[in-house]
Amino acid sequence: LVSQQTTPNATMKFTAAVAVLAGAMLPCDAFVVKPSHYHGASLKMSTTEDAAAVSEKIPSKKEDRLRFMKNKQFYRKGFKEVRDDVEKTMQEQFKSELVDDLKESNYVIERNGVKVYLAKDFGFCWGVERSIALAYEAVEHFPGKRVHITNELIHNPEVNENLEKMNVQFIEKKDDGSKSLDSVQEGDVVILPAFGASYEEMDYFDKKNVEVVDTTCPWVSKVWNTVDTHQKKGLTSIIHGKYGHEETVATTSFCNDYICVKDMKEAEMVADYILNGGDKEAFLKYFEKAVSEGFDPDTMLNKVGLANQTTMYKKETRAIGQLFQKTMLKKFGPVDPQSHYMEFDTICDATQERQDAVHELVENAKDLDLDFILVIGGFDSSNTAHLLEIPVNAGVRAFHINRAECIGADNTITHRTMNGEIVTEPFIENLDKEIIMGVTSGASTPDAAVQDSLSSIFMLKSLHDNAD
């Protein structure tokens, strides 16, 4: 996985041909079956010899996952015979001459009275491009078959609309959060999205006569390996992530005991309970949707391991890790600290690099005289939402849009705020002067979306100037 470094946005940062390397780039132990057991509740509860003997006969969820992957109808490396055509399609849909010009001009360009500073790392990451390539190849490889996908492939409206145009069926999500998996029939094709699929979904499709194309990002698989390590060591997994996010739903399905914390505030609540106890009923009520079945904070928080949704804000994940490390030291002392706390860095490189690049823009915002920073990406994209937080928290005017149409000809902008509201408000404060702006995009945003958004701003400024 360390080889999954996000390269600077070259003409096309990833060719569909790279999909064939995906299996080779997973961590070595992803293909090694090791002794590990789950038995309903926590490993810590298997204390008797009888319980241990029963547990010994039950494969771990990781072992099951590896078994699913060995099914001859399970595909992870794409389909070579259609790769060239898919690569051409992706170039046509996602390439941007304007973005290429920006990169060749040291990430700054002036057009139509608008000066644009582009973040040094932005847009599609390797994992996203790989996922799109695998999905497109699946459609081409199985002509005439019904193709389904268990969720949005990635959090980008244009990409998901492209799949709909290719007649990919998005499996319906019911009001209770479950999915209509029975819509998949014998002989159909099922695509697992970049976020991964839950253990239960993978198990369901493994038992059905369907072709499964797995586009899960290798960084997500890395998190699954981490929570498997927690289980082997009898640790409760603390997941820094949003419990309803597709990736976290998949990750928690591979856990035994877990609790999800979305931010430092919730992490502090858990740390306080570890140290001081408290109102157990109130605690469980607050976290009722974010904990494993039968979760008991009085017994399951004595040994914990930290993992995270790969798209979270890395600085916050680090701070949460330090909080739990100190909490366990304070409660249990310095003797054998790893027996009570363990953590791994599972924030993907692409997420961190894009956050660092926005930090650089923000740190130079005053010297560059930026009017605002535009963040482009799906409204439900976690990594894009965190890019917005960086300028907003620093007091720099910023907007998160999901497509060019959010910029109105009447100089309004429809955008997502930090608290998740979609609002429309006046956009550029003074069209009479030169507009100086920064721009970045999330890891699931194609360069073409950046070009379209910037073109709308160029047009807005030109119309105003010509009217004068």
Side-chain angles (χ1 to χ4, degrees):
L1 286 179
V2 293
S3 58
Q4 189 203 345
Q5 298 290 333
T6 305
T7 59
N9 290 335
T11 301
M12 192 66 186
K13 300 181 290 290
F14 166 88
T15 64
V18 178
V20 75
L21 299 177
M25 300 188 74
L26 287 171
C28 295
D29 67 347
F31 296 96
V32 179
V33 178
K34 301 178 181 178
S36 176
H37 321 287
Y38 67 96
H39 188 221
S42 167
L43 291 178
K44 297 183 285 294
M45 299 184 70
S46 298
T47 55
T48 69
E49 291 184 5
D50 289 342
V54 172
S55 177
E56 194 70 31
K57 300 175 184 178
I58 303 176
S60 72
K61 290 183 177 181
K62 181 176 179 179
E63 289 172 328
D64 280 345
R65 177 163 61 91
L66 295 177
R67 178 175 55 79
F68 301 154
M69 291 161 58
K70 291 177 181 177
N71 189 316
K72 65 181 181 179
Q73 293 178 292
F74 194 98
Y75 306 89
R76 300 179 59 250
K77 297 182 179 180
F79 306 96
K80 188 175 181 180
E81 80 280 0
V82 298
R83 189 151 296 145
D84 289 344
D85 289 342
V86 166
E87 182 178 344
K88 182 179 178 181
T89 298
M90 291 177 66
Q91 290 275 358
E92 292 171 350
Q93 291 181 352
F94 306 134
K95 178 178 165 60
S96 162
E97 291 184 4
L98 175 60
V99 170
D100 289 344
D101 290 345
L102 270 160
K103 290 183 288 185
E104 291 171 4
S105 304
N106 198 28
Y107 297 86
V108 60
I109 202 170
E110 292 186 57
R111 288 193 184 175
N112 301 351
V114 181
K115 190 171 187 178
V116 179
Y117 290 91
L118 176 65
K120 299 293 175 62
D121 282 290
F122 66 97
F124 270 173
C125 66
W126 178 89
V128 162
E129 291 195 70
R130 169 185 173 273
S131 182
I132 296 171
L134 289 172
Y136 280 21
E137 287 180 14
V139 174
E140 295 296 323
H141 180 76
F142 293 105
K145 281 184 175 282
R146 286 208 315 163
V147 181
H148 308 261
I149 188 167
T150 60
N151 220 311
E152 291 185 338
L153 181 69
I154 59 173
H155 283 151
N156 177 266
E158 290 94 347
V159 171
N160 292 307
E161 287 167 8
N162 288 342
L163 289 173
E164 288 180 338
K165 292 174 183 176
M166 297 164 74
N167 293 319
V168 174
Q169 309 296 310
F170 287 72
I171 294 176
E172 181 185 2
K173 200 170 188 177
K174 301 176 184 177
D175 292 339
D176 62 1
S178 64
K179 297 177 184 176
S180 300
L181 299 182
D182 54 1
S183 63
V184 179
Q185 303 299 313
E186 294 270 326
D188 287 354
V189 179
V190 179
I191 298 172
L192 309 183
F195 315 108
S198 71
Y199 172 87
E200 291 76 17
E201 290 171 350
M202 293 179 74
D203 184 52
Y204 179 86
F205 295 125
D206 183 67
K207 295 172 181 175
K208 205 173 182 72
N209 179 28
V210 297
E211 313 289 342
V212 176
V213 180
D214 181 16
T215 81
T216 304
C217 174
W219 276 94
V220 175
S221 300
K222 180 181 178 181
V223 179
W224 295 350
N225 290 333
T226 295
V227 298
D228 179 70
T229 300
H230 293 168
Q231 293 172 47
K232 291 175 182 176
K233 295 182 177 294
L235 307 174
T236 293
S237 295
I238 297 178
I239 311 294
H240 177 210
K242 303 168 184 176
Y243 67 80
H245 188 280
E246 296 93 328
E247 180 190 324
T248 301
V249 169
T251 295
T252 57
S253 76
F254 288 98
C255 296
N256 288 338
D257 304 324
Y258 70 84
I259 182 168
C260 298
V261 295
K262 69 179 179 180
D263 51 27
M264 179 58 81
K265 176 186 174 183
E266 291 189 352
E268 288 173 342
M269 292 172 64
V270 175
D272 181 69
Y273 197 96
I274 290 172
L275 288 175
N276 305 308
D279 187 332
K280 180 177 177 178
E281 184 177 351
F283 183 90
L284 289 174
K285 178 65 177 175
Y286 181 89
F287 287 103
E288 63 180 339
K289 295 182 179 180
V291 294
S292 50
E293 184 178 355
F295 189 84
D296 184 351
D298 291 336
T299 62
M300 295 180 180
L301 291 175
N302 290 326
K303 298 173 66 177
V304 300
L306 181 67
N308 55 269
Q309 185 180 313
T310 59
T311 55
M312 298 302 283
Y313 191 35
K314 186 163 188 172
K315 287 187 176 179
E316 185 171 52
T317 295
R318 284 176 173 167
I320 288 172
Q322 291 173 355
L323 170 67
F324 284 117
Q325 186 178 46
K326 292 176 181 177
T327 298
M328 291 312 200
L329 282 171
K330 186 172 182 179
K331 181 167 184 177
F332 298 104
V335 179
D336 193 17
Q338 284 198 345
S339 65
H340 291 284
Y341 178 71
M342 177 180 291
E343 70 174 77
F344 297 90
D345 182 359
T346 51
I347 291 283
C348 81
D349 289 348
T351 297
Q352 182 58 36
E353 288 163 358
R354 280 146 189 73
Q355 291 173 2
D356 290 344
V358 174
H359 271 293
E360 183 179 355
L361 270 182
V362 169
E363 288 166 1
N364 293 289
K366 188 173 182 180
D367 292 338
L368 298 175
D369 198 24
L370 296 184
D371 295 312
F372 60 88
I373 292 176
L374 189 67
V375 180
I376 306 166
F379 282 152
D380 49 0
S381 167
S382 178
N383 80 85
T384 307
H386 290 303
L387 295 180
L388 176 71
E389 293 174 3
I390 296 169
V392 170
N393 288 333
V396 176
R397 195 167 183 244
F399 303 96
H400 172 189
I401 65 172
N402 70 341
R403 59 202 316 163
E405 288 77 8
C406 289
I407 300 169
D410 58 351
N411 192 23
T412 59
I413 186 167
T414 300
H415 65 105
R416 181 187 184 279
T417 65
M418 265 182 54
N419 63 12
E421 291 183 272
I422 309 299
V423 300
T424 300
E425 62 179 87
F427 182 25
I428 299 172
E429 294 176 328
N430 185 0
L431 281 167
D432 292 327
K433 74 173 191 69
E434 180 186 36
I435 300 168
I436 305 175
M437 61 174 288
V439 64
T440 189
S441 56
S444 54
T445 306
D447 290 352
V450 176
Q451 173 170 308
D452 292 345
S453 300
L454 291 177
S455 296
S456 294
I457 295 174
F458 296 156
M459 180 63 70
L460 192 64
K461 174 63 172 169
S462 294
L463 289 173
H464 175 81
D465 292 347
N466 292 334
D468 293 342

